[in-house]
Amino acid sequence: MTEKGEEGPDVPSLERRETRPGRHVGDRYVRIVRPTGSGLRGHGGRYVATEESMAHTGLFGRAWDRGLRFLIGRRLESEAESEERVGVGTGLPMLASDNVSSSAYATEEAMRVLAFAGGAALALTMPIAIAVCVVLAVVIVSESRVIRAYPNGGGSYIVAKDNHGVLPGLVAASALLIDYVLTVAVSSAAGVAAISSFVPAVHDHRVLWSLGLIALLTVGNLRGIREAGVIFAAPTYVYVLSLLGLIGYGLFRIASGDMPVAVLPRDAFQTEGIEPLTALLVLRAFASGSVGLTGSEAIANGVPNFKPPESRNAVITLVWMGSIFATLFLGITYLATRIGIAPDQFEFETVNSMLTRSLVGDGTLFYYIVQISTAIILLLAANTGFSGFPRLASVLADDRFMPRQFAFRGERLAFSFGIIALALMSAAVLAAFHGSVTELVPLYTIGVFVAFTLSQSGLVRRWWRLRNPGWRLSMAINTFGTIVTGTVLVVVAYTKFLYGAWMVLLVMPILVGLLFAINHHYRTVHDALLLERPDEPIPVLKPPVVLIPVARLDRATLQAVAFARSISPTVRAVHIASTAQSAEEFARRWRRWTTEVPLDVIESPYRSLLQPLLKYIERIDERDDRPITVVLAEFVPRNWWEWILHSQTALRLKLSLLFRPNTIVIDIPYHTEDTGHGVAPRGPEDSSQ
Amino acid sequence: MTEKGEEGPDVPSLERRETRPGRHVGDRYVRIVRPTGSGLRGHGGRYVATEESMAHTGLFGRAWDRGLRFLIGRRLESEAESEERVGVGTGLPMLASDNVSSSAYATEEAMRVLAFAGGAALALTMPIAIAVCVVLAVVIVSESRVIRAYPNGGGSYIVAKDNHGVLPGLVAASALLIDYVLTVAVSSAAGVAAISSFVPAVHDHRVLWSLGLIALLTVGNLRGIREAGVIFAAPTYVYVLSLLGLIGYGLFRIASGDMPVAVLPRDAFQTEGIEPLTALLVLRAFASGSVGLTGSEAIANGVPNFKPPESRNAVITLVWMGSIFATLFLGITYLATRIGIAPDQFEFETVNSMLTRSLVGDGTLFYYIVQISTAIILLLAANTGFSGFPRLASVLADDRFMPRQFAFRGERLAFSFGIIALALMSAAVLAAFHGSVTELVPLYTIGVFVAFTLSQSGLVRRWWRLRNPGWRLSMAINTFGTIVTGTVLVVVAYTKFLYGAWMVLLVMPILVGLLFAINHHYRTVHDALLLERPDEPIPVLKPPVVLIPVARLDRATLQAVAFARSISPTVRAVHIASTAQSAEEFARRWRRWTTEVPLDVIESPYRSLLQPLLKYIERIDERDDRPITVVLAEFVPRNWWEWILHSQTALRLKLSLLFRPNTIVIDIPYHTEDTGHGVAPRGPEDSSQ
């Protein structure tokens, strides 16, 4: 059969109005491009929806549209998607802000643990910072191998799935998903802490302020932050440079013997300490300090974002990131411990703020530059969660491990579903932990190190399997990386278990189970729906048995009966009456109206419509092999509020029938605004057209 | 055409399985009574649904059923409805509890207003009580005329509509509806006050306790309180007798010179007063005291509930009610003012409770009998709201002034919808007014007097119109009644306006407008749906144009296409693709699958499915006169939670199409649990059956 013959003579084509009515067009597949106002353009059975087609109508629809356009901007076509390639200069702030921003709280978090053993124990902060930087160095060298192996982006999920299999891949994915949620929560909380250090009033409502930041990021990401480069670059560099300046100035003052006077916290910890200084406490402090390692996987994920040579640029950026973070972290830690700054028990002021005040004095411009750029870089760090989570979720959705809604791009090409899901979850976590960085940190690092360990060990297997030139060195590096990150993972999980890590260790397997269950569901459905062969013939069915529940004898019923008879010769009406008398009366009126459509009447002494009808359909179904088709004449009022004046029997019946196998529901709406007649009235004289 | 010929050869009858398959039965209208387990019994196209048919299935359904049976009892057939006729002895407690129970708070409410003018002003309570009783006497005489004129129940709505027209009828109806809500609220609040008088802890949570009472009444009324007679009789008589005893004992002690010592309230009003004793204040006190008149219309409403001679029994009951109320009210007022009891500023203890304690002493058995029977009679008074509101609402719904759901009887023959609506509204009112009788009273009496005035004046017109024997006396009585109740109405509205009466005066016209709007809607719909003649012919329609939106080429699509072709030769598929490439790819695969069903492909660069599809349907519709029929292949997962894993495109499309005129939606559910194939697979070989 040729394309010409594909349509029967009755098929209306979109171009029919172009030809004289009633005249047959020889070849309907030749369609003319004809721009109309209706939102579609195209020809030959292929159409393209214009932006116009997307516009909502109605008062609320238009207001919603306008609000959305204001908030997130105009709609974008799929083709507008472009991969903006960046060099090292722009790539560094874009991909490194998460890691570098950790310097805003890593020192303080290590100190807060040591402070339990008294003021003297704070001196141990510096060795701990050095240990963290050593681990960071190992991670960076290992990650450089990931970049080499996966130039298309080596997310831990992909690396682990690729080399270890699906289960470890999903473990890495859940770890990362949890981690992204915590990145958003911790960074927003820390950003607010940077501000509340000099605006104490903010501290009282820090949860609200943090939620405000998350809302801001949500809107920004729904817009799709396309001018990312510029937005990210400036404040990151301001932060890095101002802190470098601060550290340089501090070192100079100490070297020149001009020892600054320490600004002390409002509520310092007890100087004699409340816990002994055990090895466990030191390990716990190290675990807290290792938040400084979070975010260092971002560059390996983002390799394809770099200009060529991608891998080389990525590795350079990675080294820069590590060097900057280490310099800031070590510098801040050295100065803070040297000057004698102690953390504030109730998180009113950050250690960094106290350090800056000690060095440059209260209320100076420089102080405000440091604090505000700290807040901004933390906001940018939170934003990396907003780019990472939806992207990972969409990859998982493409692989059918997450609901497919996560793979849809919204009007602005952003993964709206993932963005909103992340915003809700991180807001919930933030509120549950009172917007406190210190309460959140014990949960934070686990996910990162699970992902690190799985991706490093995955690479070990990869090198062993492939044995490319130079595989021995790469394998040695990644084996060492596996051991180091694995050890840190054990340390963090062990020392922080009771402080919150247990929650992550509980949620992670649940999440993995959920991802598996979702995958199982999709695969089951896919199997069930699969055609046995691509040219499976369409079965020829007899016309269906059509049942029409009728409540009254009116136009809506007339219309339903007329439609039912147009699709099948087998039509039955059924009426539910609450008394024998009304049953009799209805049957009498029906017979006077028509003898062509048989009527069954069910008397329902318990006044229920739904249940007897369902039982009746069940019986009919038992006695006939064809699919049961129920025609519902549904009255549609002009305004939504008029709905409540009608008992929603049709709606409830539809819901009940939806879950009934082998049952088809035909909805025939009757609109009162129809010019008098609704769908049905065109009589036989119309058929000639 | 005879009945025999009514069915085509294809119509499955419920009895088909009884005959040999494939054999035609000559006369299908002869159906055999065949009790089956399926919940229907019957024959000849007439079936009766058994109680079994009502049972819910599924885990939740069965649990719901069991809970409901426990709470409100087994379902009742419509025939179980019976009018229980009562004599005077049982009728009195049933219909008079509302009015008689007012004696529990009428004295106190009058005193509370007078107390503003200082302790000395309380002496005016007695004259006010006498004035109230005089009005009551007028009302009773007038009501006895209503009973005579409307032996089938003379609700103010009916009397006013009958004699004045629809608008006054609706005004009376709204006044009564508001009044029923307030009856429930005030009586529950007063009932709780009777208890909190000796259990102070109850006072702290009086709103919660009152809401608990309303919940109790709601459940009771959903059950349908069928044992009403006994439940009502005992506590009403206990209340009346114990209070009569109390009054007698009090009078005896005063007469014998053994003057009781007044129990004084925790927080008395200032004895010097804070307002001058003006005529307005006295009128306000009278308006408060006239709550004693509420509930006196119940007997005229309930005439048909009496044993014959109905009117005579009703009038006797009415006189008894008035006498009892007047005796209690005057007695309590006399003793309270004589002994020198003053109201408690913060409503910790009722005046009646203080009076009883003054007379019989604290903690005596008699005291508890009085308080508890007071609480119970007030609960019964609240219950009269629960019988009045749903009944009036159902009458209004029958007259199409209220949503028709109010006219449906629930499983226990009660008007469930009205009961629940009343419960919600009275609970809201009660909570808004902090469960305080004193705050609620200014709103209460207006509705009653609006209804009284309208029904009395209606009767005046009626007597004038009919001029039956004795019409002059009746007309004189009702004219006097109109004047008195109208005057009280003006007094109440004027003196209580700022204290809350304005709300009722505001809500009443809004309610009237709403009732009219609802009626207008129903009448419009009725007109629109009306058949022009009872034997209007069924139009013969061409088979519809069937559109099938397809997302994938799978079994669900196959099934939808097969069904579509079984009902119409004109079938078109349409596919929305997000890129030109995937559009091309799908079209290619479709052509390989079938050349019998033409396919249109729409490229949607903005990734929306819904909008382009709607535009496309619009275009098809513009070009063809037949109703557009959209077939949706809807995937139905096994469990409800699996829904979230599927984007509800079909559902959203259905919603959008519902409000589109001239559009029919056919839902073809695809169930994965179907044994492999769903609806479609039965091939042509089945047609031979």
Side-chain angles (χ1 to χ4, degrees):
Chain A
M1 206 180 256
T2 62
E3 282 201 357
K4 270 193 187 185
E6 278 185 36
E7 298 184 26
D10 253 355
V11 176
S13 91
L14 296 195
E15 278 65 39
R16 171 165 286 188
R17 281 287 148 91
E18 301 243 332
T19 65
R20 264 205 305 125
R23 195 167 66 84
H24 284 301
V25 178
D27 185 343
R28 281 212 186 74
Y29 263 90
V30 179
R31 297 181 193 209
I32 305 133
V33 186
R34 193 173 34 92
T36 69
S38 75
L40 293 180
R41 58 186 164 75
H43 64 109
R46 308 274 180 284
Y47 302 89
V48 176
T50 61
E51 202 196 339
E52 198 186 333
S53 76
M54 304 289 299
H56 288 88
T57 50
L59 196 65
F60 286 107
R62 280 197 302 273
W64 167 259
D65 243 18
R66 236 173 281 143
L68 217 56
R69 295 290 82 74
F70 173 75
L71 219 55
I72 69 166
R74 67 175 186 84
R75 293 184 187 84
L76 293 176
E77 289 197 26
S78 298
E79 289 170 8
E81 172 77 11
S82 76
E83 285 297 326
E84 201 185 349
R85 297 290 185 113
V86 295
V88 174
T90 318
L92 184 64
M94 249 177 77
L95 297 167
S97 67
D98 186 10
N99 177 251
V100 170
S101 71
S102 313
S103 58
Y105 50 82
T107 303
E108 174 164 349
E109 291 306 322
M111 283 177 127
R112 301 184 85 80
V113 176
L114 292 171
F116 285 118
L122 292 180
L124 283 173
T125 317
M126 192 63 197
I128 285 174
I130 292 170
V132 170
C133 289
V134 169
V135 175
L136 179 62
V138 173
V139 166
I140 281 173
V141 175
S142 311
E143 286 285 306
S144 72
R145 297 286 133 172
V146 177
I147 291 171
R148 195 158 298 175
Y150 287 87
N152 296 318
S156 300
Y157 164 61
I158 289 166
V159 177
K161 199 179 82 165
D162 219 25
N163 300 295
H164 282 309
V166 174
L167 178 64
L170 292 183
V171 173
S174 340
L176 283 175
L177 289 176
I178 294 170
D179 205 53
Y180 285 128
V181 172
L182 289 165
T183 298
V184 173
V186 169
S187 303
S188 323
V192 169
I195 302 297
S196 75
S197 292
F198 61 93
V199 190
V202 169
H203 185 272
D204 299 339
H205 304 285
R206 57 182 180 172
V207 173
L208 275 184
W209 281 92
S210 309
L211 294 182
L213 287 189
I214 291 178
L216 197 71
L217 287 172
T218 307
V219 171
N221 280 282
L222 287 176
R223 283 190 85 95
I225 303 182
R226 304 184 67 73
E227 309 78 6
V230 185
I231 294 183
F232 278 63
T236 306
Y237 284 120
V238 171
Y239 173 79
V240 171
L241 292 177
S242 61
L243 272 185
L244 284 177
L246 185 77
I247 291 166
Y249 176 64
L251 292 177
F252 171 77
R253 275 183 66 177
I254 292 170
S256 64
D258 173 19
M259 192 66 189
V261 181
V263 170
L264 289 178
R266 239 165 79 167
D267 305 280
F269 286 80
Q270 291 170 33
T271 41
E272 67 276 18
I274 50 167
E275 280 185 35
L277 184 63
T278 56
L280 187 65
L281 192 80
V282 175
L283 282 179
R284 240 174 79 203
F286 167 79
S288 282
S290 65
V291 283
L293 296 158
T294 55
S296 48
E297 77 288 358
I299 292 176
N301 279 339
V303 184
N305 290 334
F306 282 98
K307 285 181 186 149
E310 290 90 351
S311 298
R312 203 180 119 81
N313 280 333
V315 171
I316 294 172
T317 313
L318 187 65
V319 172
W320 268 111
M321 178 194 81
S323 315
I324 291 170
F325 171 77
T327 311
L328 299 185
F329 185 34
L330 292 174
I332 291 167
T333 308
Y334 174 73
L335 290 175
T337 48
R338 185 67 203 278
I339 295 172
I341 285 166
D344 184 286
Q345 219 181 339
F346 299 116
E347 301 179 66
F348 279 99
E349 185 170 359
T350 63
V351 164
N352 285 23
S353 166
M354 287 186 268
L355 176 66
T356 315
R357 284 211 284 145
S358 308
L359 287 168
V360 300
D362 214 353
T364 54
L365 179 63
F366 190 78
Y367 171 75
Y368 289 115
I369 291 176
V370 170
Q371 287 306 113
I372 291 169
S373 65
T374 303
I376 295 177
I377 197 177
L378 283 164
L379 193 62
L380 298 181
N383 193 60
T384 59
F386 273 98
S387 61
F389 183 98
R391 205 191 302 127
L392 178 57
S394 82
V395 171
L396 287 168
D398 281 340
D399 290 356
R400 308 247 143 168
F401 285 108
M402 278 181 77
R404 67 176 68 152
Q405 289 94 327
F406 282 99
F408 292 154
R409 284 174 187 275
E411 296 188 334
R412 295 282 293 183
L413 290 168
F415 294 110
S416 327
F417 211 83
I419 290 170
I420 289 165
L422 173 67
L424 294 178
M425 282 187 287
S426 55
V429 167
L430 220 148
F433 290 87
H434 319 102
S436 155
V437 176
T438 306
E439 287 184 46
L440 284 164
V441 157
L443 284 69
Y444 191 19
T445 21
I446 303 245
V448 185
F449 282 101
V450 167
F452 274 153
T453 310
L454 283 169
S455 93
Q456 296 299 329
S457 57
L459 277 190
V460 173
R461 286 178 77 159
R462 181 189 174 85
W463 303 130
W464 178 253
R465 202 178 69 236
L466 299 179
R467 300 193 203 167
N468 291 335
W471 67 275
R472 278 168 218 276
L473 176 64
S474 297
M475 196 169 138
I477 289 173
N478 288 124
T479 306
F480 189 63
T482 307
I483 294 166
V484 171
T485 52
T487 309
V488 177
L489 172 60
V490 172
V491 169
V492 172
Y494 179 68
T495 60
K496 297 289 184 185
F497 189 81
L498 292 176
Y499 300 88
W502 65 269
M503 286 183 244
V504 176
L505 292 172
L506 187 72
V507 170
M508 219 179 319
I510 294 174
L511 197 52
V512 170
L514 199 62
L515 298 181
F516 261 116
I518 289 171
N519 185 250
H520 175 77
H521 169 79
Y522 279 131
R523 273 189 301 136
T524 310
V525 170
H526 183 254
D527 289 351
L529 289 176
L530 199 67
L531 292 182
E532 272 148 42
R533 25 180 242 268
D535 59 344
E536 189 156 332
I538 305 171
V540 178
L541 299 183
K542 280 200 303 182
V545 180
V546 181
L547 279 185
I548 316 177
V550 288
R552 275 167 302 276
L553 242 178
D554 57 17
R555 298 222 139 265
T557 304
L558 183 79
Q559 173 181 309
V561 170
F563 181 83
R565 286 168 61 87
S566 81
I567 62 167
S568 171
T570 318
V571 178
R572 269 198 109 77
V574 55
H575 175 74
I576 314 276
S578 57
T579 63
Q581 190 200 337
S582 71
E584 206 50 62
E585 161 73 8
F586 190 86
R588 204 176 44 71
R589 284 179 50 219
W590 184 270
R591 213 167 296 136
R592 205 170 55 198
W593 179 55
T594 178
T595 49
E596 292 166 48
V597 179
L599 171 78
D600 283 334
V601 180
I602 302 173
E603 189 194 326
S604 172
Y606 298 97
R607 298 162 302 282
S608 163
L609 288 168
L610 214 55
Q611 298 296 334
L613 204 50
L614 289 174
K615 295 286 187 257
Y616 173 81
I617 290 170
E618 222 156 77
R619 264 216 204 174
I620 291 277
D621 195 22
E622 273 170 22
R623 279 156 188 76
D624 197 88
D625 287 330
R626 287 171 286 173
I628 287 285
T629 300
V630 179
V631 165
L632 296 177
E634 188 163 11
F635 173 76
V636 179
R638 258 165 307 183
N639 301 300
W640 60 264
W641 53 265
E642 290 177 334
W643 274 106
I644 53 168
L645 297 180
H646 299 268
S647 48
Q648 282 74 48
T649 319
L651 192 68
R652 283 186 297 150
L653 188 57
K654 246 188 295 181
L655 271 177
S656 309
L657 291 177
L658 181 58
F659 287 95
R660 194 174 186 284
N662 207 23
T663 312
I664 287 156
V665 174
I666 303 187
D667 230 331
I668 307 200
Y670 192 91
H671 296 259
T672 40
E673 60 202 327
D674 289 354
T675 50
H677 291 290
V679 175
R682 292 186 196 91
E685 68 280 12
D686 286 300
S687 336
S688 60
Q689 213 192 41
Chain B
M1 206 181 255
T2 63
E3 281 203 357
K4 269 195 188 186
E6 275 185 40
E7 298 183 25
D10 253 355
V11 176
S13 89
L14 295 194
E15 279 63 45
R16 172 164 287 190
R17 280 288 148 92
E18 302 243 333
T19 65
R20 263 208 305 126
R23 196 167 65 85
H24 285 301
V25 178
D27 187 342
R28 280 214 187 71
Y29 264 90
V30 178
R31 297 183 192 208
I32 304 134
V33 185
R34 194 170 34 90
T36 70
S38 72
L40 293 179
R41 57 186 165 75
H43 63 112
R46 307 274 180 281
Y47 302 91
V48 176
T50 60
E51 201 197 336
E52 198 187 334
S53 77
M54 304 289 298
H56 289 88
T57 51
L59 196 64
F60 288 106
R62 279 196 303 272
W64 168 259
D65 244 18
R66 235 173 283 142
L68 217 57
R69 292 293 79 75
F70 173 75
L71 221 54
I72 69 167
R74 68 176 184 82
R75 296 183 185 83
L76 293 176
E77 289 196 27
S78 299
E79 288 171 10
E81 172 78 11
S82 75
E83 287 296 324
E84 200 184 349
R85 298 291 186 114
V86 293
V88 174
T90 318
L92 184 65
M94 249 177 78
L95 296 167
S97 67
D98 186 10
N99 176 251
V100 170
S101 71
S102 313
S103 58
Y105 48 83
T107 304
E108 173 164 352
E109 291 308 319
M111 282 178 128
R112 303 184 83 81
V113 176
L114 292 171
F116 286 117
L122 291 181
L124 284 173
T125 316
M126 194 62 199
I128 285 174
I130 293 170
V132 169
C133 289
V134 170
V135 175
L136 179 63
V138 174
V139 166
I140 281 173
V141 175
S142 311
E143 286 285 305
S144 71
R145 297 286 134 174
V146 176
I147 291 171
R148 193 160 301 176
Y150 287 88
N152 295 318
S156 300
Y157 164 63
I158 290 165
V159 177
K161 200 180 81 168
D162 218 27
N163 298 297
H164 283 308
V166 174
L167 180 63
L170 291 183
V171 172
S174 336
L176 281 176
L177 289 176
I178 294 171
D179 205 52
Y180 285 129
V181 171
L182 289 165
T183 298
V184 174
V186 169
S187 302
S188 323
V192 170
I195 300 297
S196 76
S197 292
F198 61 91
V199 190
V202 169
H203 186 271
D204 300 337
H205 304 287
R206 57 181 181 175
V207 174
L208 274 184
W209 282 92
S210 309
L211 294 181
L213 288 189
I214 291 179
L216 198 70
L217 288 172
T218 308
V219 172
N221 280 281
L222 287 176
R223 285 190 81 98
I225 304 183
R226 303 184 69 73
E227 308 75 10
V230 185
I231 293 184
F232 278 64
T236 306
Y237 283 120
V238 171
Y239 174 80
V240 171
L241 292 177
S242 60
L243 273 183
L244 285 178
L246 186 76
I247 292 164
Y249 177 63
L251 292 177
F252 170 77
R253 276 183 64 176
I254 291 168
S256 65
D258 173 21
M259 192 67 189
V261 181
V263 170
L264 289 175
R266 239 165 81 168
D267 306 279
F269 286 81
Q270 291 170 32
T271 41
E272 66 277 17
I274 49 168
E275 281 185 37
L277 184 63
T278 57
L280 188 65
L281 192 80
V282 175
L283 281 180
R284 239 173 81 202
F286 168 77
S288 282
S290 65
V291 283
L293 295 158
T294 56
S296 49
E297 77 287 357
I299 292 175
N301 279 339
V303 185
N305 290 332
F306 282 97
K307 286 181 185 149
E310 290 90 351
S311 298
R312 202 181 121 77
N313 280 333
V315 171
I316 294 172
T317 311
L318 188 66
V319 172
W320 269 111
M321 177 193 80
S323 317
I324 291 172
F325 172 77
T327 311
L328 298 185
F329 185 35
L330 293 174
I332 292 167
T333 308
Y334 173 73
L335 289 176
T337 47
R338 184 69 203 277
I339 295 174
I341 287 168
D344 184 285
Q345 218 181 338
F346 300 115
E347 301 179 67
F348 279 100
E349 187 171 0
T350 63
V351 164
N352 284 23
S353 165
M354 287 185 271
L355 176 66
T356 314
R357 284 211 284 147
S358 308
L359 287 169
V360 301
D362 214 353
T364 55
L365 180 64
F366 191 76
Y367 170 76
Y368 289 115
I369 291 175
V370 170
Q371 288 306 112
I372 291 171
S373 66
T374 304
I376 295 177
I377 199 179
L378 283 162
L379 193 64
L380 297 181
N383 192 62
T384 59
F386 274 98
S387 60
F389 184 99
R391 204 190 304 126
L392 178 56
S394 82
V395 172
L396 287 167
D398 281 339
D399 289 355
R400 306 250 146 167
F401 286 107
M402 278 183 77
R404 66 174 71 148
Q405 288 94 327
F406 283 98
F408 292 155
R409 283 176 187 273
E411 297 189 333
R412 295 282 292 184
L413 291 168
F415 295 110
S416 327
F417 212 82
I419 290 170
I420 290 167
L422 173 68
L424 293 178
M425 282 187 287
S426 55
V429 167
L430 219 148
F433 290 87
H434 317 103
S436 156
V437 177
T438 306
E439 289 183 45
L440 285 163
V441 156
L443 284 71
Y444 191 19
T445 21
I446 302 248
V448 184
F449 282 100
V450 168
F452 274 151
T453 310
L454 283 168
S455 92
Q456 298 298 329
S457 57
L459 276 192
V460 173
R461 289 180 75 159
R462 181 190 176 83
W463 304 130
W464 178 254
R465 204 179 66 237
L466 299 179
R467 299 194 203 165
N468 291 334
W471 67 275
R472 280 169 218 277
L473 175 64
S474 296
M475 196 167 140
I477 289 173
N478 288 125
T479 306
F480 187 62
T482 307
I483 293 166
V484 171
T485 53
T487 309
V488 177
L489 172 61
V490 171
V491 169
V492 172
Y494 179 69
T495 60
K496 298 289 185 186
F497 189 81
L498 292 177
Y499 300 88
W502 64 270
M503 287 183 242
V504 176
L505 294 171
L506 187 73
V507 169
M508 220 179 320
I510 293 175
L511 197 53
V512 170
L514 198 63
L515 297 181
F516 261 116
I518 289 171
N519 184 249
H520 174 77
H521 169 80
Y522 280 129
R523 273 189 300 134
T524 311
V525 170
H526 183 253
D527 288 352
L529 289 175
L530 201 65
L531 292 181
E532 272 148 44
R533 27 181 239 272
D535 59 344
E536 189 157 332
I538 304 170
V540 177
L541 298 183
K542 279 201 302 179
V545 181
V546 181
L547 279 184
I548 315 176
V550 288
R552 275 168 301 278
L553 241 177
D554 57 19
R555 297 222 141 265
T557 306
L558 183 77
Q559 172 181 310
V561 170
F563 180 82
R565 286 166 63 88
S566 80
I567 62 167
S568 171
T570 319
V571 178
R572 267 196 111 80
V574 54
H575 175 74
I576 314 276
S578 58
T579 63
Q581 192 200 335
S582 71
E584 206 50 62
E585 162 73 8
F586 191 86
R588 203 174 45 70
R589 283 178 50 217
W590 184 270
R591 215 166 296 135
R592 207 171 53 196
W593 179 56
T594 180
T595 49
E596 292 165 47
V597 179
L599 171 79
D600 284 334
V601 180
I602 303 174
E603 190 194 323
S604 173
Y606 297 98
R607 298 164 301 282
S608 164
L609 290 167
L610 213 55
Q611 298 296 334
L613 204 50
L614 289 174
K615 295 288 187 256
Y616 172 81
I617 290 170
E618 222 156 77
R619 265 218 202 175
I620 292 277
D621 195 21
E622 274 170 22
R623 277 156 190 78
D624 197 87
D625 287 330
R626 288 170 286 173
I628 287 286
T629 300
V630 179
V631 165
L632 295 178
E634 188 164 11
F635 174 76
V636 178
R638 258 166 306 184
N639 301 300
W640 60 266
W641 53 264
E642 291 177 335
W643 273 105
I644 52 168
L645 298 178
H646 298 267
S647 46
Q648 282 75 49
T649 318
L651 192 68
R652 283 186 296 151
L653 188 58
K654 246 188 294 183
L655 271 177
S656 310
L657 292 177
L658 180 58
F659 287 94
R660 194 173 187 286
N662 206 23
T663 311
I664 287 156
V665 174
I666 302 186
D667 229 330
I668 307 201
Y670 191 91
H671 295 259
T672 41
E673 60 200 329
D674 290 354
T675 49
H677 293 286
V679 176
R682 293 188 196 87
E685 68 279 13
D686 286 301
S687 337
S688 59
Q689 212 188 42

